[in-house]
Amino acid sequence: MGIKDQFKFLVRATLCKTSVSGEGRLIKNCFMKKFMLTLSGFVGLCCTFIFQGCLKDSVTKTYRYTYYLPVYKTTQEVRNDIKSRPAQAVERPGKIYIKGQYIFLNDIDKGIHVIDNSNPSQPQQIAFIDIPGNMDLAVKGDILYADLYTDLVAIDISNPRNVVLKKVIESVFPHRYYTTGFIPDSNKVIASWEKRDTTVTEKISMNRWLKSANVYMDYTAFPNTLSSSASGKSGSPYGVGGSTAKFAIVNQRLYTVGQFDLSVFNISTMGNPSLVNHKDIGWNIETIYPFMDKLFIGSQTGMFVYDISSADNPVQVGQFAHISSCDPVISDGQFAYVTLHTGTICAQNTNELDVLKLNNLLNPSLVKTYAMTNPQGLSKDGSTLFVCDGKEGLKIYDANDVTNLHLMSTVNTSEAYDVVAFNNHALVVAKDGLYQYDCSDLHNVRLLSKINVQN
Amino acid sequence: MKYKIILSITVLLLTMNFVNAQSSKLKFHSINNIGLLEGGSDENLQLQTINGVSHKGFFGGVGIGLDNYYRKSIPLFADLRQNFSQRKSTPFLYLDLGAVFPWDRNTGTQWSSSQYKTGFLYDAGIGYSFPIKGRFAMNLSAGYSQRFLKEISETSRWYFLTDNMPFAPAPSKDTAHYKYNFNRFSFKIGFSF
């Protein structure tokens, strides 16, 4: 074997570390083995470095973007338009007030439907009163009091088919100013909103720095501020005449609550209300319910009891503190009934009905707590307690013994959130409309009529 | 383009099977791998167990595993392999095709929720198998993997759930549909018998 051949043999032997015996086939197999291993490693490295571009993850997001454009009118135009207009479909039912044969149903931010309920089996929508920004209402005699954004309006409804604006008190509800950078012309009012829908599909790159358990780095998840909303849940309605009101009339006074305050209006002169008192009473005030010479005011931090024996000067005389929840409250004078529910900015994990004893108004005491699904508005007719319990519908209890409320029946309604009950008759405001029930037989509650919400 | 490559590999595997004329017996094999998925937005673990039969150097089986890239999921797939030779030490091509099931289908908080749908994945590459002892062999492989995933996300816009703020009316929930495309290098090491 020459030097050259020996060198070649040594190289092969070194590479494969095999014995020289049977060298031809063994060396060839050993060489192939090492060659394939090397090739695999080399290809892998190539892929890692050369094809980095193939590693780019991506996500495509498709969403329907809904935004609302404001339609402006001047303040004078809005006031001129506060009159009875032809009846129109209910879109977002809110507060409800009953006076005589008429039902006044708030349509959130729009106005008030006037319904002739002389035959509860066939209620007739007879008119619509255009009040932009309206959320609440109360009626005394022939005067309807309603909010128009920051203003209080008094409307003569002696002829519901031809109502007349009597007076406007400006800037009494300061919490109703626009916020979050949305500042319109102060001489104009947003009379309505034009809804615009568009579907957006966008491709988003991903990188490991913004990895999250839920989504990704999409900071455009929320649409433009113009589309941010009011009362997303078809109005978290606080119904007048119901337990979730913000307006309450006692004798010659109209009491209203805002987010932090209580206002008192003297309404002794028909159609000419005047603001007589305004005071801060706490945080996150939600509801007001009058009973005799007391006001029960529900908030996210508890229930306050105010004495209004001095009508112009309500004084706090009691308080029941509990965890933060939104609190519709009613009272029969002996007991107060308060519902706490989740699913709002009150943001606590509690859904229950609390029954409080009012013997000592300085310190109402908890009698019993009843677990519920998502209770909201409630009403009491005699010894019968009506509770709107979210998707569970309307629950009707025998409340003769408050320590042992007995469920008489459950009426299936679509997310009921307020109820007014009187004389074995119940009106229920639900997500899909206004229901009326005959409750003369509590074991066999009968649907009388329904006014549907336009979808 | 990528799908053409996958189709080509599949055809190549099937063709090579008929070229290698060897014993006609079907043999059971279990291939168990652990590995790494390396991609643009994550690097994470993968586990696999694949069981099937081989014939004339061609292997077909069903695999299940864990894919922890970005969002934990369980792949269920068909595995096809073709050895280059009938020897115990041999390079091979592989192709995995199948569905991937999210580990958590529904996640969320009080204000947002996500629902993840069953997706699709494929993984194709080359590797090398060499014997350890008896029927046991070690496998190394490197390839490219794509996983497709869908998510439906709902977000509540809580700040207008009070009627004190006169904002425009709007839906109380935003719904968005997401389609993910994860592109990764797939490196695996394991044993088979």
Side-chain angles (χ1 to χ4, degrees):
Chain A
M1 189 187 287
I3 294 175
K4 190 177 178 183
D5 290 332
Q6 285 177 357
F7 178 74
K8 284 183 183 176
F9 174 75
L10 281 173
V11 168
R12 290 191 197 116
T14 302
L15 281 174
C16 299
K17 296 179 185 176
T18 57
S19 164
V20 299
S21 61
E23 64 191 89
R25 186 161 169 270
L26 282 170
I27 287 174
K28 182 181 176 185
N29 289 340
C30 170
F31 178 77
M32 282 304 295
K33 192 186 299 185
K34 288 187 181 288
F35 174 75
M36 290 309 297
L37 275 172
T38 306
L39 180 63
S40 300
F42 178 71
V43 169
L45 279 174
C46 282
C47 289
T48 304
F49 291 107
I50 294 174
F51 298 108
Q52 279 289 330
C54 301
L55 299 183
K56 197 173 180 184
D57 294 336
S58 67
V59 56
T60 303
K61 178 184 178 186
T62 302
Y63 60 96
R64 204 182 83 177
Y65 184 110
T66 300
Y67 64 95
Y68 291 80
L69 288 177
V71 177
Y72 290 103
K73 288 184 180 178
T74 64
T75 304
Q76 195 55 51
E77 282 173 335
V78 168
R79 293 177 185 179
N80 291 343
D81 284 344
I82 297 178
K83 56 181 75 169
S84 297
R85 295 184 172 281
Q88 54 182 258
V90 177
E91 290 184 3
R92 299 168 69 210
K95 317 302 172 59
I96 185 170
Y97 202 97
I98 299 161
K99 182 179 183 296
Q101 71 186 71
Y102 295 103
I103 297 172
F104 297 90
L105 175 65
N106 157 247
D107 204 315
I108 295 166
D109 267 349
K110 284 184 60 182
I112 297 171
H113 299 277
V114 183
I115 301 167
D116 185 340
N117 202 40
S118 49
N119 180 1
S121 299
Q122 290 184 320
Q124 300 293 324
Q125 289 180 254
I126 61 172
F128 179 76
I129 306 171
D130 207 344
I131 309 176
N134 175 243
M135 296 281 193
D136 282 276
L137 68 160
V139 177
K140 182 174 174 64
D142 289 331
I143 302 297
L144 179 147
Y145 302 91
D147 58 334
L148 190 163
Y149 291 120
T150 57
D151 304 340
L152 177 75
V153 297
I155 302 170
D156 185 338
I157 56 169
S158 53
N159 179 2
R161 297 176 191 269
N162 186 24
V163 302
V164 177
L165 176 66
K166 299 296 288 184
K167 186 172 180 178
V168 178
I169 303 178
E170 294 181 354
S171 303
V172 291
F173 307 121
H175 58 277
R176 297 294 307 280
Y177 279 116
Y178 303 120
T179 61
T180 318
F182 185 63
I183 304 171
D185 185 331
S186 58
N187 292 321
K188 291 186 178 176
V189 175
I190 295 177
S192 62
W193 298 87
E194 276 184 17
K195 181 181 175 183
R196 303 270 175 97
D197 285 325
T198 183
T199 300
V200 177
T201 298
E202 54 183 4
K203 201 157 189 178
I204 305 163
S205 292
M206 299 172 65
N207 67 56
R208 61 185 63 206
W209 296 108
L210 293 171
K211 169 188 166 184
S212 76
N214 273 336
V215 210
Y216 7 32
M217 25 180 304
D218 176 10
Y219 297 116
T220 62
F222 296 107
N224 188 281
T225 54
L226 274 180
S227 74
S228 51
S229 150
S231 314
K233 291 178 69 174
S234 294
S236 40
Y238 302 115
V240 176
S243 58
T244 55
K246 288 182 183 281
F247 280 22
I249 290 180
V250 179
N251 300 324
Q252 306 298 323
R253 298 293 183 271
L254 168 66
Y255 299 92
T256 70
V257 289
Q259 206 172 4
F260 313 109
D261 54 278
L262 172 65
S263 299
V264 184
F265 297 87
N266 185 328
I267 56 173
S268 54
T269 305
M270 286 256 295
N272 187 24
S274 59
L275 178 66
V276 296
N277 198 353
H278 175 92
K279 59 200 295 183
D280 291 336
I281 61 170
W283 295 91
N284 300 318
I285 305 299
E286 298 283 341
T287 60
I288 184 170
Y289 183 81
F291 189 82
M292 298 176 74
D293 62 347
K294 300 293 182 289
L295 295 175
F296 297 91
I297 296 177
S299 77
Q300 291 182 28
T301 54
M303 183 189 75
F304 306 107
V305 183
Y306 275 76
D307 181 276
I308 50 173
S309 47
S310 172
D312 291 343
N313 189 30
V315 176
Q316 184 177 340
V317 294
Q319 180 176 354
F320 179 72
H322 52 71
I323 58 174
S324 297
S325 291
C326 298
D327 305 331
V329 59
I330 62 168
S331 172
D332 58 12
Q334 189 179 4
F335 298 98
Y337 306 84
V338 186
T339 58
L340 292 73
H341 65 283
T342 59
T344 70
I345 59 168
C346 300
Q348 291 291 328
N349 192 25
T350 301
N351 288 290
E352 63 189 38
L353 166 70
D354 287 353
V355 181
L356 311 174
K357 194 166 187 182
L358 297 176
N359 282 349
N360 181 354
L361 286 176
L362 294 177
N363 188 23
S365 59
L366 178 65
V367 173
K368 190 162 181 179
T369 295
Y370 294 86
M372 294 271 170
T373 302
N374 193 237
Q376 299 185 45
L378 61 172
S379 183
K380 196 161 182 281
D381 181 22
S383 62
T384 306
L385 180 67
F386 297 78
V387 180
C388 296
D389 196 8
K391 291 181 180 177
E392 297 270 314
L394 177 70
K395 291 181 175 173
I396 305 174
Y397 295 89
D398 177 354
N400 275 310
D401 178 3
V402 296
T403 62
N404 185 26
L405 293 180
H406 177 58
L407 181 64
M408 304 289 287
S409 63
T410 301
V411 180
N412 288 325
T413 58
S414 168
E415 295 189 45
Y417 42 67
D418 202 10
V419 58
V420 176
F422 58 97
N423 298 332
N424 298 319
H425 189 142
L427 280 83
V428 180
V429 184
K431 189 177 179 181
D432 64 346
L434 175 66
Y435 294 79
Q436 293 196 65
Y437 293 95
D438 176 357
C439 303
S440 48
D441 180 357
L442 291 177
H443 293 288
N444 186 24
V445 175
R446 192 167 58 91
L447 175 67
L448 291 171
S449 63
K450 179 187 174 188
I451 296 176
N452 287 306
V453 166
Q454 176 181 315
N455 292 319
Chain B
M1 180 60 187
K2 290 175 183 172
Y3 297 109
K4 287 181 183 175
I5 294 172
I6 296 166
L7 186 61
S8 301
I9 293 172
T10 307
V11 169
L12 182 65
L13 286 171
L14 291 170
T15 305
M16 288 173 71
N17 175 51
F18 289 103
V19 169
N20 291 304
Q22 293 292 327
S23 167
S24 62
K25 279 186 184 172
L26 288 177
K27 290 182 184 175
F28 170 80
H29 291 280
S30 177
I31 303 167
N32 305 281
N33 294 322
I34 185 170
L36 178 72
L37 292 162
E38 172 75 35
S41 53
D42 195 12
E43 57 185 18
N44 222 309
L45 176 73
Q46 61 173 330
L47 300 170
Q48 289 182 334
T49 179
I50 304 165
N51 296 277
V53 293
S54 67
H55 173 64
K56 296 181 183 179
F58 179 78
F59 171 87
V62 175
I64 189 168
L66 180 71
D67 181 330
N68 210 31
Y69 185 92
Y70 191 82
R71 185 136 205 107
K72 194 185 291 183
S73 57
I74 301 171
L76 179 66
F77 53 92
D79 180 272
L80 303 172
R81 290 171 188 247
Q82 178 65 61
N83 295 334
F84 282 102
S85 74
Q86 296 300 305
R87 297 193 180 111
K88 288 186 179 180
S89 292
T90 174
F92 60 87
L93 292 176
Y94 75 90
L95 173 65
D96 295 338
L97 281 172
V100 60
F101 302 96
W103 184 268
D104 283 324
R105 280 206 178 271
N106 298 293
T107 62
T109 64
Q110 191 174 6
W111 311 117
S112 67
S113 63
S114 288
Q115 187 185 37
Y116 294 91
K117 304 289 187 184
T118 300
F120 166 77
L121 94 161
Y122 75 84
D123 184 350
I126 60 171
Y128 196 85
S129 175
F130 52 91
I132 302 173
K133 186 178 182 180
R135 280 199 67 188
F136 284 85
M138 177 169 280
N139 307 301
L140 300 168
S141 65
Y144 183 78
S145 170
Q146 265 195 315
R147 191 178 95 199
F148 303 93
L149 188 66
K150 287 184 184 175
E151 176 192 353
I152 300 173
S153 171
E154 284 189 345
T155 306
S156 296
R157 291 192 280 157
W158 63 270
Y159 51 84
F160 44 77
L161 287 178
T162 171
D163 58 7
N164 283 326
M165 300 298 181
F167 291 118
S172 60
K173 285 192 176 183
D174 289 324
T175 301
H177 295 253
Y178 296 91
K179 291 182 183 176
Y180 297 90
N181 181 355
F182 298 120
N183 301 281
R184 311 86 60 90
F185 286 138
S186 171
F187 303 103
K188 287 175 269 192
I189 183 170
F191 68 93
S192 61
F193 57 89

